[in-house]
Amino acid sequence: MTKINWNKELVNHINKELAKGKNFPEIAKQLKHETGIKYNKDDVRLGYQRHTNWIEDAETVKPVAKQALETAFKNVAKAMDSINESKNTVTADNIDTTQPIEFKKLANGDYSSSRTLNLSDDELKDEATLLKLHGYDPNAFEIRTASNSRNERETNKGTKHSYNSRITVKPKTQLSTTDIMQQMWEHVEPIHIQKHSLSSVSDTLVIPLYDLHFGIANIETMKESLTNLISLVNKGYKEIVIISGGDIIHSDKITKSETAKGTQLDAVDMKQAIKDARQFYDVLFQESLKNANIVRHYSITGNHDRDSGYLLNLLLEAQYPQIEHHVGDYRQAFVLGDTSIMLMHGDLATRNAPLLFAQEYRGIWNSTKHHQIISGHFHYDKTTEVMGVELIQVGTNKPNDPYETANGYIGNNKQLTAITYNTSRMTQRNYL
């Protein structure tokens, strides 16, 4: 460190430059130009902090790098408002107001701050108190690291001790199930669908909805397919069966974008994703109830929305009690006349799916002539047959996400599927 002859004139000069809005690096550069002595920002900052009792007829200025300060205060503004209203208000009794406070945003997204505190040892161990004194809401942030070093200084009132306190924090990311359900229950504005006629009518209409990925998709990208689907629904049926086959929502988390296994995804607005999913199902359920004697809803979860999809399906069950709901997890099965259908997402247990069908649902399997397995997961249409079991893999109409684009998975047809059945078997597939 450069040897500097500290005196009152130098300390007051630095304080005046700080009052003009300059930071320590800028002042160090200016002093070097004025005196020819090689100052650096640490020389200026440490010397200034140690001799603030020399400041005359003015309060010390609290310096913070402009860009870092703006970024930090945007992220903690709400926290500061909460602190000002709390019982443990930040006052001069526990903060040394003659010392500067510094905020930094780190490369990994955490925040770092340091300031001089007048606290007891017990108070330093209280994370909530420490967060508040550094300007963070304990409900919104958590401490990653903390260090507190004791120091003493002479004042005109005698010797005082304080702590140089430095912490790094990160925003809390987990929301409770109650928070998620509250978001799902929020009111969404209705949308209007233009109806037009299609030429297919059958006893039962099955609508397999797989891999919609709301968050990547939105109500606008879905609108053409949804319009065609509602036009088909309005032909009128004895029964409509709606299948929620997993990955309806892109992320399993609300505050960050992750699959159920923790795989990082491209960032999406999960609150908007939930609203778009709600709008989509509201239209489909309401129109189905108008145009069928019976409406059933079978749901399973996918690898992206193991928890968030399950909660959405529970919400739909509560919101539409007039529909016959079957909320499940990995697989479900049901019967349409002479045809039995098993549902699976397509990411698990696919190698021996026909044998799995026959073992898990023996009663259904033995009572029907035709057997189908409907799955998704791979985002494109494919139909095969294994020993008389028809394996129907349906696609999706969602836009390509950055992962698919980077890996070249861009060739699938963007469409939804609806399948019509008579009392015997499947009669027609509709691409919407």
Side-chain angles (χ1 to χ4, degrees), residues 1-215:
M1 183 179 295
T2 303
K3 182 67 176 178
I4 301 173
N5 182 24
W6 287 97
N7 52 59
K8 289 184 177 181
E9 182 181 0
L10 178 57
V11 173
N12 279 276
H13 177 62
I14 294 173
N15 193 62
K16 290 178 181 179
E17 295 305 312
L18 289 170
K20 295 176 182 178
K22 294 183 180 180
N23 56 29
F24 286 125
E26 292 171 338
I27 295 173
K29 186 176 180 180
Q30 177 181 330
L31 289 174
K32 180 181 177 182
H33 177 74
E34 293 174 349
T35 66
I37 299 174
K38 186 177 181 181
Y39 290 84
N40 63 46
K41 62 182 177 63
D42 292 326
D43 294 331
V44 176
R45 178 176 60 82
L46 293 174
Y48 174 79
Q49 291 175 357
R50 289 170 181 168
H51 299 91
T52 52
N53 57 314
W54 288 347
I55 301 299
E56 298 175 349
D57 301 325
E59 293 185 357
T60 55
V61 179
K62 300 178 181 179
V64 185
K66 296 179 181 178
Q67 185 175 359
L69 179 62
E70 291 174 358
T71 302
F73 270 91
K74 284 180 181 178
N75 288 277
V76 301
K78 291 183 179 179
M80 294 296 285
D81 290 340
S82 175
I83 292 168
N84 290 333
E85 296 173 0
S86 68
K87 294 181 179 179
N88 296 323
T89 304
V90 178
T91 69
D93 293 335
N94 46 41
I95 291 179
D96 187 346
T97 56
T98 66
Q99 298 297 323
I101 179 171
E102 295 183 356
F103 285 95
K104 293 181 181 179
K105 183 173 183 180
L106 307 181
N108 63 355
D110 294 345
Y111 296 93
S112 171
S113 69
S114 63
R115 74 184 314 164
T116 301
L117 303 177
N118 303 319
L119 297 175
S120 67
D121 292 341
D122 290 337
E123 288 174 314
L124 285 172
K125 297 175 183 178
D126 186 342
E127 288 195 7
T129 298
L130 203 54
L131 281 165
K132 288 179 180 180
L133 293 175
H134 276 268
Y136 297 97
D137 183 354
N139 295 317
F141 292 88
E142 59 185 344
I143 293 178
R144 290 178 63 90
T145 63
S147 63
N148 305 283
S149 58
R150 183 186 175 101
N151 62 75
E152 295 182 353
R153 60 189 177 91
E154 296 296 331
T155 70
N156 56 3
K157 295 182 180 180
T159 302
K160 289 189 175 182
H161 78 269
S162 60
Y163 286 89
N164 291 328
S165 177
R166 179 177 293 277
I167 63 173
T168 59
V169 303
K170 67 175 183 177
K172 290 184 177 180
T173 56
Q174 296 298 323
L175 290 181
S176 66
T177 300
T178 301
D179 294 329
I180 298 173
M181 292 300 292
Q182 183 177 359
Q183 177 62 37
M184 290 183 173
W185 274 111
E186 282 189 2
H187 174 71
V188 292
E189 295 298 324
I191 59 174
H192 302 285
I193 300 299
Q194 181 181 358
K195 302 174 184 179
H196 58 83
S197 63
L198 296 176
S199 59
S200 178
V201 178
S202 186
D203 289 338
T204 300
L205 179 67
V206 173
I207 304 170
L209 301 173
Y210 284 71
D211 306 290
L212 299 184
H213 288 270
F214 280 104

Side-chain angles (χ1 to χ4, degrees), residues 323-340:
I323 292 176
E324 180 185 320
H325 293 270
H326 301 268
V327 179
D329 194 357
Y330 297 106
R331 289 176 292 278
Q332 292 220 58
F334 60 94
V335 175
L336 294 176
D338 292 331
T339 302
S340 59

Side-chain angles (χ1 to χ4, degrees), residues 124-371:
L124 285 172
K125 297 175 183 178
D126 186 342
E127 288 195 7
T129 298
L130 203 54
L131 281 165
K132 288 179 180 180
L133 293 175
H134 276 268
Y136 297 97
D137 183 354
N139 295 317
F141 292 88
E142 59 185 344
I143 293 178
R144 290 178 63 90
T145 63
S147 63
N148 305 283
S149 58
R150 183 186 175 101
N151 62 75
E152 295 182 353
R153 60 189 177 91
E154 296 296 331
T155 70
N156 56 3
K157 295 182 180 180
T159 302
K160 289 189 175 182
H161 78 269
S162 60
Y163 286 89
N164 291 328
S165 177
R166 179 177 293 277
I167 63 173
T168 59
V169 303
K170 67 175 183 177
K172 290 184 177 180
T173 56
Q174 296 298 323
L175 290 181
S176 66
T177 300
T178 301
D179 294 329
I180 298 173
M181 292 300 292
Q182 183 177 359
Q183 177 62 37
M184 290 183 173
W185 274 111
E186 282 189 2
H187 174 71
V188 292
E189 295 298 324
I191 59 174
H192 302 285
I193 300 299
Q194 181 181 358
K195 302 174 184 179
H196 58 83
S197 63
L198 296 176
S199 59
S200 178
V201 178
S202 186
D203 289 338
T204 300
L205 179 67
V206 173
I207 304 170
L209 301 173
Y210 284 71
D211 306 290
L212 299 184
H213 288 270
F214 280 104
I216 298 298
N218 55 52
I219 203 64
E220 286 302 316
T221 62
M222 290 286 180
K223 200 163 188 178
E224 180 179 358
S225 293
L226 181 57
T227 300
N228 292 335
L229 177 58
I230 296 305
S231 298
L232 185 60
V233 166
N234 276 283
K235 299 295 291 184
Y237 299 88
K238 176 183 177 182
E239 183 178 22
I240 293 177
V241 179
I242 300 167
I243 299 168
S244 294
D247 290 3
I248 301 300
I249 301 176
H250 186 64
S251 171
D252 207 37
K253 302 293 188 298
I254 299 300
T255 56
K256 56 184 176 180
S257 193
E258 279 185 1
T259 66
K261 291 184 177 180
T263 302
Q264 294 296 315
L265 303 170
D266 294 284
V268 298
D269 184 346
M270 282 299 293
K271 291 184 178 181
Q272 186 61 47
I274 291 170
K275 290 180 181 179
D276 287 340
R278 287 276 315 282
Q279 285 185 315
F280 183 93
Y281 274 93
D282 283 346
V283 172
L284 179 56
F285 279 3
Q286 291 170 18
E287 292 299 320
S288 296
L289 287 168
K290 294 176 185 177
N291 291 281
N293 296 328
I294 300 171
V295 179
R296 290 191 276 169
H297 177 223
Y298 289 86
S299 62
I300 56 177
T301 55
N303 58 303
H304 277 245
D305 64 350
R306 194 75 68 200
D307 292 330
S308 59
Y310 186 77
L311 289 172
L312 175 63
N313 290 321
L314 289 177
L315 169 68
L316 294 173
E317 181 181 28
Q319 189 175 0
Y320 291 94
Q322 63 272 54
I323 292 176
E324 180 185 320
H325 293 270
H326 301 268
V327 179
D329 194 357
Y330 297 106
R331 289 176 292 278
Q332 292 220 58
F334 60 94
V335 175
L336 294 176
D338 292 331
T339 302
S340 59
I341 301 171
M342 185 176 79
L343 312 175
M344 59 195 315
H345 180 65
D347 62 320
L348 301 172
T350 57
R351 178 174 294 183
N352 295 312
L355 292 177
L356 189 63
F357 189 3
Q359 288 293 318
E360 287 190 336
Y361 299 98
R362 293 187 182 187
I364 290 177
W365 178 277
N366 292 331
S367 66
T368 52
K369 297 179 181 178
H370 310 292
H371 308 98

